[in-house]
Amino acid sequence: MHIKKFFCNSGTLVAFFITILLGSMVFWIYDSGYKNMPQNIKELPITIVNQDTDSKSFVRQLKSSLPFKHINETTDLKTAKKDLDTRESYLIINIPKHFSNDVVNDKSTKIHFYINDSNQLSVVSSLNLLITKLSNSINNNISVKKNTLKIATPALKQLQHNLKAQQLAAATNIATAKAQIAQAPSDQQEKLAAQLTAKVQKQQKEAKVHALKQKAEIIKQSSHQAQKISCTNATEVHYQNRVKKGLNNYLAPLFINLALNLGAMIGAMVLYNIYLKFADEFGKLEAFAYLELAYVLFAVIGSILLSAINLKILPIPFTNYFSIVLNHTLSLFLFYNFNTVLLLLFGQAGAPINTILTMIQVVSGTGAVPLLGLNKFFAFMHYLSPLYYATQNDFNLLYGGITSAQQKCGFSLLIIGTLCINLLIVTIKHKQPVLNIG
């Protein structure tokens, strides 16, 4: 009888329901959120900086071979690098001045690739793979072109010498023929001259066609030989805001803030129960003020300690320590208030919903995949995701980059918004729900 009573208890049934719900929801969240990568790499905007006016045809060929939908063209490398820093562009392909001329004249020249390493690992690894493939193709083409010219030059010079000799011989024959025509009867000279002109034109046309065929054959054979020669290194990759190798370093901005969010979620649940106790004793508004004061104190002290621990673990200097502390303080305060909204609305029943929202934030927070790689649902949810703003700020503070005005505005509005929502709920809600399982 006791076992039946235990398993028929509403709390036991709720626990089973939560297990099934969370298990299925978390899997769906990650499966639907990440399945579009790396295919959605084509959505990332890139920039071609062409500083060589003679390379326009090369740029057209390059654009047609790239998988990206949004390719900007400019001649300003400085502005392109700034866009890379703000993540308005994810890759720069720079064609330097006199590139085409240097290739033809067998001079040293390189195409430069620029990547902002302070990005999600999925972005950086996909771009690195693309650059490797593109570099191999460019290096091979340039190498074949240069070596073809080297191999073909002697044969082409000999062909040119032969053509000049043939032209001299033809000119001598024409002069002799004209002298013979001049000695012919006057009534036949016009006809003979016309025949000579037609014959010369035919011979010149045949000689030109033959010369072009010989030239094409020389270049073809030279190109075949050039392909056997090792490739020229005509590309170079530059990394802005370099991140030290290691999956842990690329995922650090995400996991630092995920840990802060999980800590704040559990802390908010504990403090909510304390708030319930003192709301009856002091009044709900006074108890809420103390709750917010606790959030502020915990956010400040917690960020000072946790930021120091995180920087000690990561191979990162303490240069931006105070900026990181400020970001983590604001983030922790936001995490606390964000997780408090559902607790004030639904009591302890809001905790499992907060867990699901946290999992949604992991995807929409763009710590693992870029915003442009998300589907419409998660792309929308990033606006309401504290983890998004906190993670993006940490990418900039830990590794380098510039936070956009839109991100700063969104972060500020979310902090103010959640605080106002919590105050509104406390003001208009007469009694807080308490989960009673029995």
Side-chain angles (χ1 to χ4, degrees):
M1 293 297 293
H2 289 171
I3 191 171
K4 181 180 178 182
K5 186 176 181 181
F6 181 88
F7 281 101
C8 290
N9 183 278
S10 58
T12 306
L13 296 176
V14 168
F16 175 74
F17 174 75
I18 290 174
T19 301
I20 300 300
L21 177 65
L22 287 179
S24 58
M25 284 293 293
V26 169
F27 175 76
W28 173 81
I29 289 167
Y30 288 126
D31 178 70
S32 59
Y34 292 151
K35 68 181 180 180
N36 291 326
M37 289 297 291
Q39 292 90 340
N40 272 11
I41 193 74
K42 62 187 178 182
E43 299 292 339
L44 300 179
I46 72 162
T47 305
I48 296 177
V49 180
N50 183 15
Q51 297 175 311
D52 179 27
T53 54
D54 295 327
S55 292
K56 292 181 180 179
S57 60
F58 173 73
V59 170
R60 286 195 294 269
Q61 293 174 4
L62 183 62
K63 286 177 69 174
S64 65
S65 67
L66 291 170
F68 301 99
K69 289 183 178 180
H70 313 288
I71 302 175
N72 303 315
E73 282 190 61
T74 183
T75 58
D76 190 348
L77 182 59
K78 186 177 180 180
T79 301
K81 285 183 177 180
K82 185 178 178 181
D83 290 341
L84 198 68
D85 226 23
T86 56
R87 300 175 184 85
E88 292 178 31
S89 179
Y90 284 82
L91 172 67
I92 297 173
I93 303 175
N94 175 221
I95 302 166
K97 293 179 180 178
H98 314 302
F99 174 75
S100 294
N101 187 58
D102 289 342
V103 170
V104 171
N105 293 301
D106 196 24
K107 293 182 179 180
S108 178
T109 186
K110 287 189 177 184
I111 290 178
H112 300 272
F113 296 94
Y114 294 86
I115 295 178
N116 183 0
D117 208 27
S118 178
N119 267 309
Q120 299 85 354
L121 181 62
S122 59
V123 171
V124 176
S125 59
S126 296
L127 289 177
N128 277 324
L129 286 172
L130 176 69
I131 287 174
T132 300
K133 184 178 178 181
L134 197 58
S135 293
N136 290 338
S137 176
I138 291 172
N139 287 334
N140 184 63
N141 289 338
I142 291 176
S143 178
V144 168
K145 191 171 184 178
K146 284 185 174 183
N147 290 321
T148 297
L149 289 173
K150 286 181 182 179
I151 297 169
T153 297
L156 290 174
K157 285 183 177 179
Q158 184 61 46
L159 176 61
Q160 190 176 17
H161 176 75
N162 294 340
L163 289 174
K164 285 183 179 179
Q166 290 174 8
Q167 287 171 356
L168 288 172
T172 301
N173 292 334
I174 291 170
T176 302
K178 285 182 177 179
Q180 292 175 351
I181 292 172
Q183 295 176 1
S186 58
D187 61 333
Q188 296 180 8
Q189 286 183 5
E190 185 177 350
K191 181 179 179 182
L192 291 172
Q195 290 176 347
L196 177 61
T197 301
K199 182 180 179 181
V200 169
Q201 289 177 346
K202 181 180 178 182
Q203 287 177 342
Q204 287 177 341
K205 186 177 180 181
E206 289 176 350
K208 185 177 180 180
V209 171
H210 183 64
L212 289 173
K213 285 183 178 180
Q214 284 183 301
K215 183 180 179 180
E217 185 62 28
I218 290 170
I219 293 174
K220 181 180 178 182
Q221 291 179 0
S222 300
S223 177
H224 182 69
Q225 294 177 40
Q227 290 174 5
K228 299 177 182 179
I229 301 173
S230 59
C231 290
T232 302
N233 184 17
T235 58
E236 187 174 353
V237 183
H238 307 268
Y239 293 93
Q240 290 184 198
N241 308 317
R242 195 66 163 129
V243 178
K244 289 193 176 181
K245 289 183 180 180
L247 184 62
N248 60 318
N249 294 320
Y250 282 100
L251 292 177
L254 169 62
F255 285 119
I256 285 172
N257 289 286
L258 176 59
L260 292 176
N261 189 41
L262 290 174
M265 183 173 67
I266 297 171
M269 191 163 55
V270 174
L271 287 171
Y272 171 75
N273 290 321
I274 298 173
Y275 161 78
L276 289 180
K277 178 181 177 181
F278 289 104
D280 293 334
E281 186 176 343
F282 303 148
K284 57 184 182 178
L285 288 177
E286 186 176 351
F288 178 72
Y290 295 150
L291 177 67
E292 289 298 329
L293 180 60
Y295 287 166
V296 171
L297 291 173
F298 290 178
V300 172
I301 298 170
S303 63
I304 291 172
L305 296 174
L306 292 172
S307 298
I309 293 170
N310 292 333
L311 290 180
K312 186 66 177 176
I313 294 172
L314 292 170
I316 299 172
F318 277 70
T319 309
N320 292 338
Y321 174 68
F322 292 106
S323 297
I324 292 170
V325 167
L326 177 60
N327 176 55
H328 288 171
T329 299
L330 295 173
S331 299
L332 258 175
F333 182 70
L334 175 56
F335 291 149
Y336 274 125
N337 276 284
F338 188 83
N339 285 290
T340 302
V341 172
L342 291 176
L343 293 174
L344 291 174
L345 283 174
F346 305 113
Q348 292 94 332
I353 305 176
N354 276 333
T355 302
I356 293 173
L357 287 177
T358 298
M359 297 304 103
I360 292 174
Q361 287 188 71
V362 171
V363 177
S364 61
T366 67
V369 298
L371 183 61
L372 292 170
L374 301 178
N375 61 32
K376 291 182 180 179
F377 171 74
F378 290 104
F380 170 77
M381 288 302 295
H382 95 274
Y383 292 108
L384 308 175
S385 170
L387 205 59
Y388 166 76
Y389 300 103
T391 300
Q392 293 306 306
N393 287 338
D394 264 359
F395 264 116
N396 296 325
L397 293 170
L398 292 175
Y399 305 127
I402 300 174
T403 302
S404 67
Q406 184 180 4
Q407 289 173 337
K408 290 178 181 177
C409 182
F411 191 37
S412 302
L413 288 175
L414 200 56
I415 292 174
I416 296 169
T418 52
L419 184 60
C420 291
I421 290 171
N422 285 335
L423 179 59
L424 180 63
I425 295 171
V426 169
T427 302
I428 65 176
K429 207 170 181 66
H430 297 293
K431 188 176 180 181
Q432 290 300 131
V434 179
L435 189 61
N436 185 17
I437 298 175

